[in-house]
Amino acid sequence: MSDSGTPRATRLLPDTVHQVVRPGTAVVRLETTHDRRGVLDGAWWPRSRDIAAELPGLITALTEYLGPVTRVGLDAGAWEELPTRMTIDDRVVHIDSSPVGDDTVLITRGEQDLFSLLVIPPHATPDAARAAMAEAVRADSVTQADQILIDTGTERVDPSITEGPWADPQ
């Protein structure tokens, strides 16, 4: 006999980055205490800046471990054509955009649970992405997302730059 009022068990994503890291990878470390000391809960390395192509995979993976995701907060300047909502796995996910430029994606589970993930730019090298992910999931890290990207050489590329070493490779 099943009790529909009983919350389902939440499974946690791996908190290590020892496996091969490639675009499309999400690494999340969830604190097991109420005293969250780290600034970020994990990192995500999308393959492109096309949110319609990238977000479904992230939401599907997170939903498997966290339960239903209800909202996603994104930096409007970092993505192409942001919709206000998407249907992913037969569930509506609301998308909030703002021009904050903070290199994160905010994931809301249920009504209040908020998780902050570092967004690693698609142009990052695997070694730089791995280093950024490792810092993002370190439990005691107080380093802000933009500083992690600077420290690991994965800064966001200005899409208006079309030539030189800072050119967007897409």
Side-chain angles (χ1 to χ4, degrees), residues 25-113:
T25 300
V27 176
V28 179
R29 180 182 205 292
L30 302 176
E31 295 290 338
T32 56
T33 66
H34 296 288
D35 178 19
R36 292 168 81 183
R37 292 172 285 171
V39 173
L40 297 163
D41 299 300
W44 175 41
W45 187 16
R47 293 175 185 90
S48 71
R49 292 293 182 185
D50 178 358
I51 199 66
E54 301 298 332
L55 192 59
L58 176 65
I59 297 303
T60 297
L62 291 175
T63 297
E64 181 181 340
Y65 291 96
L66 301 176
V69 171
T70 56
R71 296 193 97 71
V72 175
L74 298 165
D75 175 14
W79 300 95
E80 301 167 1
E81 302 178 30
L82 279 177
T84 57
R85 68 177 127 334
M86 291 176 67
T87 301
I88 301 171
D89 298 332
D90 297 324
R91 297 184 71 88
V92 174
V93 176
H94 296 274
I95 299 174
D96 301 319
S97 64
S98 61
V100 293
D102 65 356
D103 303 303
T104 61
V105 60
L106 300 175
I107 303 294
T108 305
R109 170 183 70 180
E111 295 295 318
Q112 299 180 45
D113 292 337

Side-chain angles (χ1 to χ4, degrees), residues 17-23 25 27 45 120 125-127 129-130 133:
V17 289
H18 298 293
Q19 49 205 10
V20 176
V21 176
R22 62 185 184 279
T25 300
V27 176
W45 187 16
I120 298 169
T125 66
D127 287 342
R130 187 178 301 109
M133 287 180 163

